[in-house]
Amino acid sequence: MESKPPLLIWLMVASMKIFGVNEFAVRFPSAISGIATTFILLKFCNSYFQNIKIGLVSALVLITCIGFVGEHVGRTGDYDALLVLWIVIYSLSYFSYLHSDIPKKRSLYLVLTTIALVLAVLTKSIAGLMFLPGLLIYTAWRRKLRKILLARETYLAATFFILVVSSYYILRNYSNPGYIKAVLQIEVTGRYLSSLENHKGEFIFYLNALFNSKFIPWIYFLPACFILTQMSAKAKLKELSLFVSLQIICYLLIISSAQTKLPWYDAPLYPMMSLLIGLGVAEFLQSIANYYSISNKNLKIAFLALMIIALFSLPYLDMLYLKIYRHQGMIYDWSKKNDPQLMYGSYFKQLQQEQPTLKKFYVANNDEYNAHLLFYTKKYNHFNNNEINVLPAKHSFRQGDIVVSCDPEVKQYLEHKYKLNLLHTNGFCQTNSIEL
């Protein structure tokens, strides 16, 4: 049973109603979420500091971050980009709520916090709540915890959150009996207390990923940016730096302590780390401008622009290099970097182009759920008049059946059980005719 709530699925359906049933429509909500997250960082910093430099640097860091722009977040039709959007909104709204002295603005920030928190849960269940410990610790650090707990508006927000979220889960459980139990087993017991589907890793699994590729070179800037911002005389800068750092540390500890480790679980870290680097780099550049006594406004803007261009040229070129090589199909080493089960879409397309008369065939699959395979099977059956059927590898195929598989273990099983006549191959994917 699928444990995740349906918000992203609803958005995908709406997107397909507009753009048709294709990859673009499926990925569009995630792409828009990634873009929106970037603009929110820019808007928030410009509003809070009345200065665009911090937001600009933060946004540039985020869009040159492979962990955020890459697979399973910004580039693909998965839950994480949308989840990150809501987490960023409710985190920054809550920070603004704590630091605002204007009643109307405080009410607006609390409403935004509550709505974004509800949408985060409706996107990816319990994962939407994982930034709350950091918010709680920061509130206690600011000595505002008692005030928040005694505020009437807090209980109104909590009541709204509980009513909306519980209503969804109760109705879903009524429609699919056992749903709530499945959510607790999968999201709590399955992911945190035990390793789901054998996705294991060491405690430093995510830290290693940040240093290996996903946040290079920016990961090396983080400690210096934190120290620089905490040494600043600007109170607003210090407070936001501390807030962001607590979110990073708390969330990293939570996902690192969980037994289930998956590469994309660190996605919510990237906007927060980008914001911390934006704070530090902007402060550093401003200090240099002040040190050299650049008083002319136009000259100062030109100096800061040149420094930003110099700082981001190499990361941008690295992202461009990555995009070009992915487009040319030169970067994928499927045996090491990617799951062969995600090759069916491109392989079906190649079969369609190179063997257009091959319309009817079977896909021998293992027992695992493969949303990627199911999507492309339905797409090619509906739009290209194919007759593709997905069957278990242990199915008894008959003489002359055409069988496709990209799974190495499945292919090995078929080779052991049948005599195969190879019709087409590309990478790990093969098309064979069954010979008895």
Side-chain angles (χ1 to χ4, degrees):
M1 182 183 290
E2 175 58 58
S3 64
K4 296 182 183 68
L7 181 58
L8 178 66
I9 305 302
W10 291 344
L11 293 175
M12 286 180 174
V13 170
S15 179
M16 286 189 282
K17 291 289 185 181
I18 298 170
F19 302 111
V21 181
N22 50 59
E23 293 91 337
F24 175 83
V26 172
R27 295 168 183 166
F28 184 71
S30 295
I32 289 296
S33 297
I35 293 169
T37 300
T38 305
F39 277 101
I40 285 169
L41 290 184
L42 190 64
K43 175 64 177 175
F44 170 79
C45 293
N46 192 41
S47 175
Y48 187 67
F49 294 105
Q50 302 299 311
N51 190 321
I52 199 172
K53 290 196 299 292
I54 295 173
L56 181 61
V57 174
S58 301
L60 287 172
V61 170
L62 189 59
I63 64 175
T64 54
C65 163
I66 293 173
F68 181 76
V69 179
E71 278 76 20
H72 222 286
V73 186
R75 285 183 181 270
T76 53
D78 294 290
Y79 293 86
D80 298 273
L82 187 62
L83 174 68
V84 169
L85 173 63
W86 305 133
I87 287 176
V88 168
I89 291 175
Y90 80 63
S91 297
L92 297 181
S93 296
Y94 183 76
F95 176 84
S96 301
Y97 168 72
L98 282 184
H99 288 272
S100 177
D101 297 322
I102 303 172
K104 285 187 177 180
K105 283 192 173 182
R106 281 175 56 84
S107 298
L108 175 61
Y109 292 139
L110 184 59
V111 168
L112 286 174
T113 302
T114 308
I115 292 174
L117 191 57
V118 168
L119 293 173
V121 174
L122 293 181
T123 297
K124 207 175 179 185
S125 190
I126 294 170
L129 303 175
M130 288 189 177
F131 264 58
L132 293 187
L135 300 184
L136 184 65
I137 292 171
Y138 180 76
T139 305
W141 175 270
R142 291 284 300 163
R143 298 181 180 179
K144 291 188 176 183
L145 187 58
R146 185 173 182 272
K147 181 180 178 181
I148 295 296
L149 292 176
L150 294 177
R152 176 174 172 268
E153 58 193 12
T154 302
Y155 292 94
L156 289 174
T159 300
F160 176 79
F161 173 83
I162 292 169
L163 281 175
V164 175
V165 172
S166 62
S167 295
Y168 162 72
Y169 280 99
I170 291 170
L171 289 172
R172 179 70 182 271
N173 194 70
Y174 177 78
S175 176
N176 301 102
Y179 175 70
I180 293 177
K181 182 179 179 181
V183 169
L184 293 175
Q185 287 178 341
I186 296 172
E187 301 295 333
V188 180
T189 307
R191 296 187 191 277
Y192 198 86
L193 300 179
S194 62
S195 177
L196 191 65
E197 296 177 352
N198 205 34
H199 294 297
K200 299 178 181 179
E202 299 177 345
F203 183 81
I204 58 172
F205 176 86
Y206 297 105
L207 203 58
N208 283 337
L210 295 176
F211 277 99
N212 286 339
S213 62
K214 298 183 76 176
F215 203 56
I216 294 294
W218 307 118
I219 188 67
Y220 297 105
F221 287 63
L222 276 177
C225 287
F226 175 75
I227 293 170
L228 186 62
T229 52
Q230 291 305 304
M231 292 173 60
S232 173
K234 302 171 184 174
K236 282 188 170 183
L237 197 75
K238 292 178 69 172
E239 286 295 340
L240 185 56
S241 167
L242 179 63
F243 173 79
V244 169
S245 300
L246 280 173
Q247 305 316 306
I248 294 169
I249 293 169
C250 288
Y251 184 73
L252 185 58
L253 287 174
I254 289 171
I255 60 174
S256 297
S257 301
Q259 295 302 305
T260 301
K261 302 285 197 306
L262 284 167
W264 50 87
Y265 282 2
D266 62 5
L269 287 172
Y270 297 107
M272 295 300 167
M273 293 190 296
S274 298
L275 182 52
L276 180 56
I277 291 172
L279 293 169
V281 169
E283 179 72 1
F284 176 70
L285 295 179
Q286 187 63 52
S287 299
I288 293 177
N290 293 339
Y291 178 80
Y292 286 104
S293 301
I294 303 175
S295 56
N296 183 278
K297 184 178 180 180
N298 292 332
L299 188 60
K300 183 181 288 188
I301 291 173
F303 169 77
L304 293 174
L306 286 173
M307 291 293 289
I308 289 173
I309 291 171
L311 182 64
F312 286 95
S313 58
L314 286 178
Y316 175 77
L317 289 173
D318 184 54
M319 290 296 292
L320 185 62
Y321 172 86
L322 181 67
K323 181 179 179 181
I324 291 171
Y325 270 63
R326 284 174 188 259
H327 180 71
Q328 293 178 351
M330 297 168 65
I331 197 165
Y332 290 117
D333 180 355
W334 293 100
S335 63
K336 298 179 180 179
K337 295 182 181 295
N338 286 280
D339 186 352
Q341 290 280 28
L342 302 181
M343 295 183 69
Y344 287 103
S346 59
Y347 188 64
F348 286 174
K349 182 178 181 180
Q350 186 177 29
L351 276 180
Q352 188 75 23
Q353 293 172 345
E354 298 181 8
Q355 298 197 19
T357 59
L358 181 58
K359 293 290 185 180
K360 180 179 179 180
F361 57 86
Y362 300 97
V363 176
N365 192 38
N366 56 27
D367 294 330
E368 295 180 4
Y369 173 73
N370 189 338
H372 170 92
L373 172 58
L374 294 178
F375 172 81
Y376 282 103
T377 297
K378 291 182 178 180
K379 175 187 173 183
Y380 279 89
N381 283 347
H382 183 75
F383 292 102
N384 295 79
N385 296 318
N386 281 80
E387 190 178 336
I388 306 172
N389 291 288
V390 179
L391 295 173
K394 294 182 181 179
H395 175 80
S396 296
F397 293 103
R398 295 177 298 179
Q399 174 82 21
D401 284 346
I402 308 299
V403 181
V404 171
S405 184
C406 297
D407 188 308
E409 292 183 2
V410 170
K411 288 188 296 178
Q412 187 176 12
Y413 173 81
L414 293 175
E415 289 170 356
H416 178 74
K417 186 174 180 180
Y418 304 100
K419 181 181 178 182
L420 303 178
N421 179 26
L422 182 64
L423 302 178
H424 188 275
T425 183
N426 181 44
F428 274 142
C429 295
Q430 288 184 1
T431 300
N432 292 285
S433 173
I434 299 294
E435 305 290 339
L436 298 179

